[in-house]
Amino acid sequence: MDSKLDKGYEPHDVEAHWYAFWESEGLFAAKESGDENAYSIVIPPPNVTGVLHMGHALNVTLQDILCRYRRSKGDNVLWMPGTDHAGIATQNVVERQLATEGTDRHKVGREAFIERVWEWRKQYGGAIINQLKRLGASCDWDRERFTMDEGLSRAVRKVFVDLYDQGLIYRGDYIINWCPRCHTALADLEVEHEPTDGKLYQILYPFAQGEGGLVVATTRPETMLGDTAVAINPKDKRYAELEADKVILPIMNREIPIVRDSYVDTKFGTGALKVTPAHDVNDFEIGLRHDLPRIKVIGEDGCMTEEAGDYQGMDRFECRKKVVEDLKKLGLLKKIEPHEHGVGQCYRCKTTVEPNLSKQWFVKAKPLAEKAIKAVETKKTRIIPEVWEKTYFEWLYNIRDWCISRQIWWGHRIPAWTCADCGEVMVRLEDPEKCACGSTNLEQESDVLDTWFSSALWPFSTMGWPENTELLKTYYPTSVLITGFDILFFWVARMMMMGLHFMDDVPFKDVYIHALVRDEEGKKMSKSKGNVIDPLEVIESQGTDAFRFTLASFAAMGRDIKLSVKRIEGYRHFINKLWNAARFTLGHIEKNPDAAANASKPTAIPDRWILSRLHQVTQQVEETLDSYQFNEAANILYKFVWHEFCDWYLEAVKPILYDETGKFDRNTTIATLQRVLTNTLVLLHPFIPFVTEELWHHMPGTQGSIMKAPFPADTDEAIGLCPDKEAEGEMELVMGMVTAIRNIRGEMNIPPNMALATVVQPSDEANSIIIEREKDLIANLARLSSMKIDLNRPKGAATAVVDGNTVYVLLEGVIDLDKEEARLEKEIAKLTNELIKLDKKLNNEDFLAKAPDDVVEKVRGQQAELTEKRDHLESNLEKVRQIHGDKG
RNA sequence: GGGCGGGUAGCUCAGUUGGGAGAGCACCGGCCUUACAAGCCGGGGGUCACAGGUUCAAGCCCUGUUCCGCCUACCA
């Protein structure tokens, strides 16, 4: 391998190369079983029709971070991938394809159509999978599953049959949400309510006998054709004296009863409600209570049925206009007023949904929901962040039966047969051949199941259930589910219900809910001024690693993520920074190939300091990842690499590396450098897998893939991770003094190439020793020509106070006294401000009495420190003013 | 109607038991210092939406107000 690195990092080839390498080496493969701790995640299966969007990118990145991290900790990791057959969506896609060929599914026929869908899947179904690979996803691809696979289909069938036998699935005539365009029933969840400006029509229904009538209000006048009653509240005083018990339904001229039902809201409109049991959920229930007929006037195609009389065949919205017109002519339309209300739309095609009477299959949700609630209450499953628990409970407490049948062709066909001769319904695991009555004239239910029915089984169906497989024994329940809150109900809650019912255990121990990047469907995308960003374009322009690091640092955000290319760029720079730090390191290793072998225990403060820092960073990364604080982990590493390792450590050890000190062993420093970089790569690998793998292979002493490298741990080695408080303290003093001197340089506009002479008055003997020991280091970092320890105050100097030590930058002749005066005044003002606050605290009796001792001590310490610092600066300001006065 | 989340630097946002207000980008000034100009050094900038309250101490806890967003719902 070429050990030389290019000047800048070029992600393109590197990414493709290493991904292929990982796959060919089988590094993503999970073992069926083993002694290691088992760690498992099932991927939220993207729609097979899907195209990678930001939501996937974030979701997959977080899962990949966890999986790679857990592998480095020695776990046996299973990340189960796959896709969802997405019934309606996929069927739509293929139907559109047929349309371009001038045909449709009805002409083609059911079997041939399903063939076509499979063909489509074969050809295009892998697109989303390949896009996940671009992100670096380390799924066990050999186990890839599809909800329509044979095995998963068997699981679906078993679940259906069992639930039916247990009385938890039933079939019946109910009001369901009907999409006239998709031609199928929808679950309540699949209907989106859009606020729409509609109209409220008030219509007079005359009494059957005598004068007058009742005025009812509706937003859907066309449904009146199917009215079978008018309802009023029995407590409504306005109607207490009402004698009439029938009205004439206008247009249809049908006599319908006036019923009394407490559902009616006396405060709304006239308090009289038209009842259409076949086209409204509430009316349906009123109808049940009063035994009203159900007249279906709107058909499955959205057009009026023959029950609608003269309006038969009309589109429902055309009919609305015509009915209104006709009512006007009859003088029965009393009022039209604007009325905003929520109109249900199909979540797939946005067509206005029609509540419609229909025979459908339902899952009795309550008994299943109870267990799902309890599992979260008892923390068998933790939802993280916890705030989402409330939403989860809220929905499950109010859960309604789940309509699972869909009148489409693509999906799991319901395993129910009806005997054409005796009407017997058979729900069987194996296709029945004949009925108990002897008839072989059986007809299978034509409906298929809701796609979510099969994805609710995902955590165990993918592992081979209903067989009791090794995989299930090893990996169920899964360790964590990573998902967005948008499918908390659709998917998470239903997996909980099914998992608990069929596996008798929760499907996952943790659920981590992350923020959402609104999809290209862009509900509110137009609002947020930023354009939709395509993850693949980002990967092209910025590289996967930069993109992933950005996403990780976004993980903690609330509910919405606004991604800016600018911000990703910042992390691309970070990747490049790391690259160059490695380039620098490798250059020195190359010049001294035997350094590591000849190294000894580090004595130089920067070496000891960086090892101590790495020790702490390692612990922090562990803690934050274990608690799903992805952004924290990413930020800790970012700061460590850039602002500690690069900004301070590399600069600090340059003199040693160039062997200019005569004091320190170059081999030891090179070995430390190597050790720190190597371990840092391992820490970073879960976040930025490609660049770290690339650099790993350039590092001497590494073997194989970085994916196999263990997470850094403390060792007894000479150069190992260990806390070193002394080195940290000493380095902090060094950094403080260097920064203070640089500040003077910057504010006084002294060119960087001008070396400065300094004098230091140490605060005490201990500091004096440290400063004496580290003065070369300080001098190098601050570009000093000299640093003398001297208790006398020099003339014509700029001053800084660090930790009680006063630093004088000698600038006689060069110093701009005006500037120095201003600079000191500014600094003193700042200190005074802070001191006022501290004084206030310390003069407060209550604070002294009630605050914990350590807090009081801390404030006292601060006060002393700042006071001393201010005193020093003030006396120096005095001095400057004297000189200034002499001159001026 | 019910529920939830948010309002912190010019912008995008962090801030997990209440105890010195942060990052990135943008901005200003100085640097081609032999890993990196995708860089280095320094700097300015915030009554943490508003009003009360609890507390020795509030960005953080409580109450109210306001603005924005989301989820959910069977008011025709």
PDB file of all heavy atoms in Angstrom, chain A residues 609-624 636-637 640 644 683 711 714 721-725 728 732:
ATOM      1  N   TRP A 609      -0.108  14.758  28.853  1.00  0.00           N
ATOM      2  CA  TRP A 609      -1.409  15.452  28.814  1.00  0.00           C
ATOM      3  C   TRP A 609      -2.353  14.827  27.780  1.00  0.00           C
ATOM      4  O   TRP A 609      -3.508  14.539  28.080  1.00  0.00           O
ATOM      5  CB  TRP A 609      -1.165  16.931  28.498  1.00  0.00           C
ATOM      6  CG  TRP A 609      -2.411  17.723  28.192  1.00  0.00           C
ATOM      7  CD1 TRP A 609      -3.345  18.146  29.086  1.00  0.00           C
ATOM      8  CD2 TRP A 609      -2.838  18.176  26.903  1.00  0.00           C
ATOM      9  NE1 TRP A 609      -4.332  18.836  28.443  1.00  0.00           N
ATOM     10  CE2 TRP A 609      -4.058  18.875  27.094  1.00  0.00           C
ATOM     11  CE3 TRP A 609      -2.321  18.078  25.610  1.00  0.00           C
ATOM     12  CZ2 TRP A 609      -4.756  19.462  26.050  1.00  0.00           C
ATOM     13  CZ3 TRP A 609      -3.016  18.674  24.574  1.00  0.00           C
ATOM     14  CH2 TRP A 609      -4.219  19.346  24.785  1.00  0.00           C
ATOM     15  N   ILE A 610      -1.864  14.620  26.554  1.00  0.00           N
ATOM     16  CA  ILE A 610      -2.767  14.135  25.509  1.00  0.00           C
ATOM     17  C   ILE A 610      -3.252  12.714  25.824  1.00  0.00           C
ATOM     18  O   ILE A 610      -4.397  12.359  25.529  1.00  0.00           O
ATOM     19  CB  ILE A 610      -2.111  14.224  24.102  1.00  0.00           C
ATOM     20  CG1 ILE A 610      -3.196  14.171  22.997  1.00  0.00           C
ATOM     21  CG2 ILE A 610      -1.082  13.121  23.873  1.00  0.00           C
ATOM     22  CD1 ILE A 610      -4.054  15.394  22.897  1.00  0.00           C
ATOM     23  N   LEU A 611      -2.403  11.920  26.461  1.00  0.00           N
ATOM     24  CA  LEU A 611      -2.836  10.568  26.833  1.00  0.00           C
ATOM     25  C   LEU A 611      -3.926  10.618  27.910  1.00  0.00           C
ATOM     26  O   LEU A 611      -4.880   9.845  27.885  1.00  0.00           O
ATOM     27  CB  LEU A 611      -1.638   9.743  27.328  1.00  0.00           C
ATOM     28  CG  LEU A 611      -0.669   9.294  26.223  1.00  0.00           C
ATOM     29  CD1 LEU A 611       0.633   8.776  26.845  1.00  0.00           C
ATOM     30  CD2 LEU A 611      -1.297   8.230  25.337  1.00  0.00           C
ATOM     31  N   SER A 612      -3.742  11.566  28.813  1.00  0.00           N
ATOM     32  CA  SER A 612      -4.746  11.716  29.860  1.00  0.00           C
ATOM     33  C   SER A 612      -6.069  12.196  29.270  1.00  0.00           C
ATOM     34  O   SER A 612      -7.150  11.734  29.639  1.00  0.00           O
ATOM     35  CB  SER A 612      -4.238  12.717  30.903  1.00  0.00           C
ATOM     36  OG  SER A 612      -5.184  12.875  31.930  1.00  0.00           O
ATOM     37  N   ARG A 613      -5.971  13.111  28.345  1.00  0.00           N
ATOM     38  CA  ARG A 613      -7.176  13.623  27.687  1.00  0.00           C
ATOM     39  C   ARG A 613      -7.870  12.505  26.890  1.00  0.00           C
ATOM     40  O   ARG A 613      -9.072  12.369  26.925  1.00  0.00           O
ATOM     41  CB  ARG A 613      -6.822  14.789  26.763  1.00  0.00           C
ATOM     42  CG  ARG A 613      -6.416  16.059  27.467  1.00  0.00           C
ATOM     43  CD  ARG A 613      -7.574  16.684  28.243  1.00  0.00           C
ATOM     44  NE  ARG A 613      -8.732  16.848  27.393  1.00  0.00           N
ATOM     45  CZ  ARG A 613      -9.962  16.470  27.706  1.00  0.00           C
ATOM     46  NH1 ARG A 613     -10.214  15.909  28.869  1.00  0.00           N
ATOM     47  NH2 ARG A 613     -10.943  16.638  26.862  1.00  0.00           N
ATOM     48  N   LEU A 614      -7.079  11.734  26.191  1.00  0.00           N
ATOM     49  CA  LEU A 614      -7.649  10.636  25.415  1.00  0.00           C
ATOM     50  C   LEU A 614      -8.361   9.640  26.330  1.00  0.00           C
ATOM     51  O   LEU A 614      -9.428   9.134  26.007  1.00  0.00           O
ATOM     52  CB  LEU A 614      -6.549   9.920  24.616  1.00  0.00           C
ATOM     53  CG  LEU A 614      -7.002   8.701  23.804  1.00  0.00           C
ATOM     54  CD1 LEU A 614      -8.025   9.092  22.753  1.00  0.00           C
ATOM     55  CD2 LEU A 614      -5.798   8.034  23.129  1.00  0.00           C
ATOM     56  N   HIS A 615      -7.755   9.435  27.475  1.00  0.00           N
ATOM     57  CA  HIS A 615      -8.374   8.550  28.455  1.00  0.00           C
ATOM     58  C   HIS A 615      -9.773   9.039  28.801  1.00  0.00           C
ATOM     59  O   HIS A 615     -10.747   8.289  28.791  1.00  0.00           O
ATOM     60  CB  HIS A 615      -7.507   8.501  29.718  1.00  0.00           C
ATOM     61  CG  HIS A 615      -8.145   7.802  30.857  1.00  0.00           C
ATOM     62  ND1 HIS A 615      -8.142   6.446  30.991  1.00  0.00           N
ATOM     63  CD2 HIS A 615      -8.853   8.278  31.909  1.00  0.00           C
ATOM     64  CE1 HIS A 615      -8.790   6.106  32.091  1.00  0.00           C
ATOM     65  NE2 HIS A 615      -9.241   7.200  32.656  1.00  0.00           N
ATOM     66  N   GLN A 616      -9.876  10.314  29.073  1.00  0.00           N
ATOM     67  CA  GLN A 616     -11.169  10.870  29.468  1.00  0.00           C
ATOM     68  C   GLN A 616     -12.152  10.882  28.299  1.00  0.00           C
ATOM     69  O   GLN A 616     -13.337  10.572  28.455  1.00  0.00           O
ATOM     70  CB  GLN A 616     -10.990  12.287  30.016  1.00  0.00           C
ATOM     71  CG  GLN A 616     -12.148  12.657  30.916  1.00  0.00           C
ATOM     72  CD  GLN A 616     -12.205  14.135  31.218  1.00  0.00           C
ATOM     73  OE1 GLN A 616     -11.237  14.865  31.000  1.00  0.00           O
ATOM     74  NE2 GLN A 616     -13.335  14.590  31.703  1.00  0.00           N
ATOM     75  N   VAL A 617     -11.660  11.241  27.133  1.00  0.00           N
ATOM     76  CA  VAL A 617     -12.527  11.283  25.955  1.00  0.00           C
ATOM     77  C   VAL A 617     -13.086   9.890  25.662  1.00  0.00           C
ATOM     78  O   VAL A 617     -14.262   9.734  25.335  1.00  0.00           O
ATOM     79  CB  VAL A 617     -11.742  11.834  24.744  1.00  0.00           C
ATOM     80  CG1 VAL A 617     -12.455  11.521  23.444  1.00  0.00           C
ATOM     81  CG2 VAL A 617     -11.554  13.341  24.899  1.00  0.00           C
ATOM     82  N   THR A 618     -12.260   8.892  25.818  1.00  0.00           N
ATOM     83  CA  THR A 618     -12.709   7.520  25.592  1.00  0.00           C
ATOM     84  C   THR A 618     -13.878   7.187  26.512  1.00  0.00           C
ATOM     85  O   THR A 618     -14.897   6.648  26.085  1.00  0.00           O
ATOM     86  CB  THR A 618     -11.547   6.545  25.841  1.00  0.00           C
ATOM     87  OG1 THR A 618     -10.465   6.912  24.992  1.00  0.00           O
ATOM     88  CG2 THR A 618     -11.965   5.118  25.543  1.00  0.00           C
ATOM     89  N   GLN A 619     -13.725   7.547  27.754  1.00  0.00           N
ATOM     90  CA  GLN A 619     -14.804   7.295  28.715  1.00  0.00           C
ATOM     91  C   GLN A 619     -16.069   8.056  28.354  1.00  0.00           C
ATOM     92  O   GLN A 619     -17.179   7.537  28.456  1.00  0.00           O
ATOM     93  CB  GLN A 619     -14.367   7.718  30.116  1.00  0.00           C
ATOM     94  CG  GLN A 619     -13.490   6.699  30.784  1.00  0.00           C
ATOM     95  CD  GLN A 619     -13.232   7.057  32.243  1.00  0.00           C
ATOM     96  OE1 GLN A 619     -13.367   8.229  32.629  1.00  0.00           O
ATOM     97  NE2 GLN A 619     -12.840   6.073  33.020  1.00  0.00           N
ATOM     98  N   GLN A 620     -15.874   9.296  27.929  1.00  0.00           N
ATOM     99  CA  GLN A 620     -17.046  10.114  27.603  1.00  0.00           C
ATOM    100  C   GLN A 620     -17.784   9.587  26.376  1.00  0.00           C
ATOM    101  O   GLN A 620     -19.007   9.603  26.328  1.00  0.00           O
ATOM    102  CB  GLN A 620     -16.614  11.570  27.364  1.00  0.00           C
ATOM    103  CG  GLN A 620     -16.242  12.285  28.657  1.00  0.00           C
ATOM    104  CD  GLN A 620     -15.671  13.659  28.399  1.00  0.00           C
ATOM    105  OE1 GLN A 620     -15.043  13.891  27.365  1.00  0.00           O
ATOM    106  NE2 GLN A 620     -15.882  14.579  29.318  1.00  0.00           N
ATOM    107  N   VAL A 621     -17.022   9.134  25.405  1.00  0.00           N
ATOM    108  CA  VAL A 621     -17.657   8.590  24.205  1.00  0.00           C
ATOM    109  C   VAL A 621     -18.479   7.361  24.589  1.00  0.00           C
ATOM    110  O   VAL A 621     -19.615   7.178  24.142  1.00  0.00           O
ATOM    111  CB  VAL A 621     -16.606   8.234  23.140  1.00  0.00           C
ATOM    112  CG1 VAL A 621     -17.220   7.402  22.011  1.00  0.00           C
ATOM    113  CG2 VAL A 621     -15.995   9.506  22.563  1.00  0.00           C
ATOM    114  N   GLU A 622     -17.909   6.564  25.450  1.00  0.00           N
ATOM    115  CA  GLU A 622     -18.601   5.368  25.909  1.00  0.00           C
ATOM    116  C   GLU A 622     -19.906   5.735  26.618  1.00  0.00           C
ATOM    117  O   GLU A 622     -20.970   5.204  26.316  1.00  0.00           O
ATOM    118  CB  GLU A 622     -17.665   4.633  26.872  1.00  0.00           C
ATOM    119  CG  GLU A 622     -17.909   3.170  26.975  1.00  0.00           C
ATOM    120  CD  GLU A 622     -16.770   2.495  27.738  1.00  0.00           C
ATOM    121  OE1 GLU A 622     -15.694   3.125  27.916  1.00  0.00           O
ATOM    122  OE2 GLU A 622     -16.945   1.349  28.161  1.00  0.00           O
ATOM    123  N   GLU A 623     -19.795   6.669  27.553  1.00  0.00           N
ATOM    124  CA  GLU A 623     -20.978   7.073  28.319  1.00  0.00           C
ATOM    125  C   GLU A 623     -22.065   7.652  27.417  1.00  0.00           C
ATOM    126  O   GLU A 623     -23.240   7.331  27.547  1.00  0.00           O
ATOM    127  CB  GLU A 623     -20.602   8.150  29.339  1.00  0.00           C
ATOM    128  CG  GLU A 623     -19.961   7.601  30.597  1.00  0.00           C
ATOM    129  CD  GLU A 623     -19.285   8.697  31.410  1.00  0.00           C
ATOM    130  OE1 GLU A 623     -19.650   9.900  31.224  1.00  0.00           O
ATOM    131  OE2 GLU A 623     -18.393   8.367  32.185  1.00  0.00           O
ATOM    132  N   THR A 624     -21.650   8.531  26.528  1.00  0.00           N
ATOM    133  CA  THR A 624     -22.654   9.218  25.719  1.00  0.00           C
ATOM    134  C   THR A 624     -23.294   8.281  24.705  1.00  0.00           C
ATOM    135  O   THR A 624     -24.494   8.358  24.474  1.00  0.00           O
ATOM    136  CB  THR A 624     -22.046  10.438  25.006  1.00  0.00           C
ATOM    137  OG1 THR A 624     -20.845  10.042  24.346  1.00  0.00           O
ATOM    138  CG2 THR A 624     -21.736  11.547  25.988  1.00  0.00           C
ATOM    139  N   ILE A 636     -17.718  15.829  21.417  1.00  0.00           N
ATOM    140  CA  ILE A 636     -16.553  15.541  22.253  1.00  0.00           C
ATOM    141  C   ILE A 636     -15.367  15.162  21.357  1.00  0.00           C
ATOM    142  O   ILE A 636     -14.250  15.651  21.533  1.00  0.00           O
ATOM    143  CB  ILE A 636     -16.877  14.417  23.248  1.00  0.00           C
ATOM    144  CG1 ILE A 636     -17.770  14.963  24.360  1.00  0.00           C
ATOM    145  CG2 ILE A 636     -15.605  13.806  23.809  1.00  0.00           C
ATOM    146  CD1 ILE A 636     -18.477  13.893  25.159  1.00  0.00           C
ATOM    147  N   LEU A 637     -15.622  14.320  20.374  1.00  0.00           N
ATOM    148  CA  LEU A 637     -14.553  13.878  19.494  1.00  0.00           C
ATOM    149  C   LEU A 637     -14.062  15.022  18.595  1.00  0.00           C
ATOM    150  O   LEU A 637     -12.875  15.161  18.345  1.00  0.00           O
ATOM    151  CB  LEU A 637     -15.035  12.703  18.641  1.00  0.00           C
ATOM    152  CG  LEU A 637     -15.114  11.395  19.429  1.00  0.00           C
ATOM    153  CD1 LEU A 637     -15.915  10.350  18.683  1.00  0.00           C
ATOM    154  CD2 LEU A 637     -13.700  10.877  19.733  1.00  0.00           C
ATOM    155  N   PHE A 640     -11.921  17.275  20.681  1.00  0.00           N
ATOM    156  CA  PHE A 640     -10.664  16.628  21.042  1.00  0.00           C
ATOM    157  C   PHE A 640      -9.702  16.622  19.851  1.00  0.00           C
ATOM    158  O   PHE A 640      -8.545  17.017  19.971  1.00  0.00           O
ATOM    159  CB  PHE A 640     -10.923  15.200  21.522  1.00  0.00           C
ATOM    160  CG  PHE A 640      -9.647  14.447  21.794  1.00  0.00           C
ATOM    161  CD1 PHE A 640      -8.860  14.768  22.883  1.00  0.00           C
ATOM    162  CD2 PHE A 640      -9.219  13.430  20.938  1.00  0.00           C
ATOM    163  CE1 PHE A 640      -7.659  14.093  23.128  1.00  0.00           C
ATOM    164  CE2 PHE A 640      -8.031  12.750  21.176  1.00  0.00           C
ATOM    165  CZ  PHE A 640      -7.251  13.088  22.275  1.00  0.00           C
ATOM    166  N   GLU A 644      -7.740  20.035  20.627  1.00  0.00           N
ATOM    167  CA  GLU A 644      -6.711  19.579  21.567  1.00  0.00           C
ATOM    168  C   GLU A 644      -5.566  18.878  20.831  1.00  0.00           C
ATOM    169  O   GLU A 644      -4.421  19.281  20.930  1.00  0.00           O
ATOM    170  CB  GLU A 644      -7.332  18.677  22.634  1.00  0.00           C
ATOM    171  CG  GLU A 644      -8.322  19.462  23.481  1.00  0.00           C
ATOM    172  CD  GLU A 644      -8.829  18.707  24.682  1.00  0.00           C
ATOM    173  OE1 GLU A 644      -9.428  17.623  24.526  1.00  0.00           O
ATOM    174  OE2 GLU A 644      -8.654  19.222  25.803  1.00  0.00           O
ATOM    175  N   LEU A 683     -12.199   5.381  17.905  1.00  0.00           N
ATOM    176  CA  LEU A 683     -13.324   6.105  18.511  1.00  0.00           C
ATOM    177  C   LEU A 683     -14.182   6.779  17.453  1.00  0.00           C
ATOM    178  O   LEU A 683     -15.404   6.876  17.578  1.00  0.00           O
ATOM    179  CB  LEU A 683     -12.813   7.164  19.496  1.00  0.00           C
ATOM    180  CG  LEU A 683     -12.081   6.697  20.744  1.00  0.00           C
ATOM    181  CD1 LEU A 683     -11.655   7.901  21.578  1.00  0.00           C
ATOM    182  CD2 LEU A 683     -12.969   5.788  21.579  1.00  0.00           C
ATOM    183  N   PHE A 711     -12.382  -1.426  21.046  1.00  0.00           N
ATOM    184  CA  PHE A 711     -12.559  -0.101  21.635  1.00  0.00           C
ATOM    185  C   PHE A 711     -11.415   0.138  22.626  1.00  0.00           C
ATOM    186  O   PHE A 711     -11.060  -0.743  23.395  1.00  0.00           O
ATOM    187  CB  PHE A 711     -13.897  -0.067  22.357  1.00  0.00           C
ATOM    188  CG  PHE A 711     -14.353   1.301  22.731  1.00  0.00           C
ATOM    189  CD1 PHE A 711     -14.956   2.119  21.790  1.00  0.00           C
ATOM    190  CD2 PHE A 711     -14.199   1.769  24.034  1.00  0.00           C
ATOM    191  CE1 PHE A 711     -15.401   3.392  22.132  1.00  0.00           C
ATOM    192  CE2 PHE A 711     -14.635   3.043  24.386  1.00  0.00           C
ATOM    193  CZ  PHE A 711     -15.234   3.849  23.431  1.00  0.00           C
ATOM    194  N   ASP A 714      -7.872   0.990  29.035  1.00  0.00           N
ATOM    195  CA  ASP A 714      -6.656   1.221  29.816  1.00  0.00           C
ATOM    196  C   ASP A 714      -5.750  -0.003  29.720  1.00  0.00           C
ATOM    197  O   ASP A 714      -6.214  -1.130  29.697  1.00  0.00           O
ATOM    198  CB  ASP A 714      -7.003   1.429  31.291  1.00  0.00           C
ATOM    199  CG  ASP A 714      -7.806   2.691  31.474  1.00  0.00           C
ATOM    200  OD1 ASP A 714      -8.330   3.204  30.469  1.00  0.00           O
ATOM    201  OD2 ASP A 714      -7.909   3.162  32.616  1.00  0.00           O
ATOM    202  N   LEU A 721      -3.391   4.649  28.020  1.00  0.00           N
ATOM    203  CA  LEU A 721      -4.365   5.608  28.496  1.00  0.00           C
ATOM    204  C   LEU A 721      -4.384   5.563  30.008  1.00  0.00           C
ATOM    205  O   LEU A 721      -4.579   4.517  30.605  1.00  0.00           O
ATOM    206  CB  LEU A 721      -5.752   5.225  27.978  1.00  0.00           C
ATOM    207  CG  LEU A 721      -5.898   5.048  26.486  1.00  0.00           C
ATOM    208  CD1 LEU A 721      -7.355   4.872  26.133  1.00  0.00           C
ATOM    209  CD2 LEU A 721      -5.318   6.243  25.769  1.00  0.00           C
ATOM    210  N   CYS A 722      -4.217   6.729  30.613  1.00  0.00           N
ATOM    211  CA  CYS A 722      -4.418   6.791  32.047  1.00  0.00           C
ATOM    212  C   CYS A 722      -4.578   8.237  32.466  1.00  0.00           C
ATOM    213  O   CYS A 722      -4.062   9.136  31.814  1.00  0.00           O
ATOM    214  CB  CYS A 722      -3.252   6.152  32.793  1.00  0.00           C
ATOM    215  SG  CYS A 722      -1.708   7.012  32.527  1.00  0.00           S
ATOM    216  N   PRO A 723      -5.352   8.454  33.488  1.00  0.00           N
ATOM    217  CA  PRO A 723      -5.550   9.826  33.950  1.00  0.00           C
ATOM    218  C   PRO A 723      -4.255  10.364  34.533  1.00  0.00           C
ATOM    219  O   PRO A 723      -3.507   9.619  35.160  1.00  0.00           O
ATOM    220  CB  PRO A 723      -6.635   9.689  35.026  1.00  0.00           C
ATOM    221  CG  PRO A 723      -6.691   8.253  35.378  1.00  0.00           C
ATOM    222  CD  PRO A 723      -6.062   7.467  34.287  1.00  0.00           C
ATOM    223  N   ASP A 724      -3.971  11.630  34.309  1.00  0.00           N
ATOM    224  CA  ASP A 724      -2.725  12.244  34.758  1.00  0.00           C
ATOM    225  C   ASP A 724      -3.031  13.696  35.104  1.00  0.00           C
ATOM    226  O   ASP A 724      -2.860  14.605  34.307  1.00  0.00           O
ATOM    227  CB  ASP A 724      -1.690  12.150  33.625  1.00  0.00           C
ATOM    228  CG  ASP A 724      -0.303  12.602  34.083  1.00  0.00           C
ATOM    229  OD1 ASP A 724      -0.213  13.338  35.096  1.00  0.00           O
ATOM    230  OD2 ASP A 724       0.678  12.223  33.417  1.00  0.00           O
ATOM    231  N   LYS A 725      -3.527  13.873  36.322  1.00  0.00           N
ATOM    232  CA  LYS A 725      -3.987  15.206  36.760  1.00  0.00           C
ATOM    233  C   LYS A 725      -2.849  16.216  36.750  1.00  0.00           C
ATOM    234  O   LYS A 725      -3.026  17.385  36.409  1.00  0.00           O
ATOM    235  CB  LYS A 725      -4.593  15.122  38.154  1.00  0.00           C
ATOM    236  CG  LYS A 725      -5.977  14.529  38.171  1.00  0.00           C
ATOM    237  CD  LYS A 725      -7.020  15.562  37.709  1.00  0.00           C
ATOM    238  CE  LYS A 725      -8.289  14.849  37.261  1.00  0.00           C
ATOM    239  NZ  LYS A 725      -8.688  15.094  35.901  1.00  0.00           N
ATOM    240  N   GLU A 728      -2.214  17.411  33.311  1.00  0.00           N
ATOM    241  CA  GLU A 728      -3.298  18.270  32.842  1.00  0.00           C
ATOM    242  C   GLU A 728      -3.182  19.663  33.441  1.00  0.00           C
ATOM    243  O   GLU A 728      -3.349  20.668  32.749  1.00  0.00           O
ATOM    244  CB  GLU A 728      -4.662  17.651  33.188  1.00  0.00           C
ATOM    245  CG  GLU A 728      -4.948  16.427  32.327  1.00  0.00           C
ATOM    246  CD  GLU A 728      -6.429  16.066  32.293  1.00  0.00           C
ATOM    247  OE1 GLU A 728      -7.271  16.962  32.515  1.00  0.00           O
ATOM    248  OE2 GLU A 728      -6.730  14.896  32.028  1.00  0.00           O
ATOM    249  N   GLU A 732      -2.411  23.047  31.340  1.00  0.00           N
ATOM    250  CA  GLU A 732      -3.379  24.146  31.364  1.00  0.00           C
ATOM    251  C   GLU A 732      -2.691  25.471  31.651  1.00  0.00           C
ATOM    252  O   GLU A 732      -3.045  26.501  31.072  1.00  0.00           O
ATOM    253  CB  GLU A 732      -4.478  23.868  32.395  1.00  0.00           C
ATOM    254  CG  GLU A 732      -5.677  23.173  31.746  1.00  0.00           C
ATOM    255  CD  GLU A 732      -6.504  22.368  32.739  1.00  0.00           C
ATOM    256  OE1 GLU A 732      -6.580  22.782  33.920  1.00  0.00           O
ATOM    257  OE2 GLU A 732      -7.060  21.326  32.333  1.00  0.00           O
TER     258      GLU A 732
END
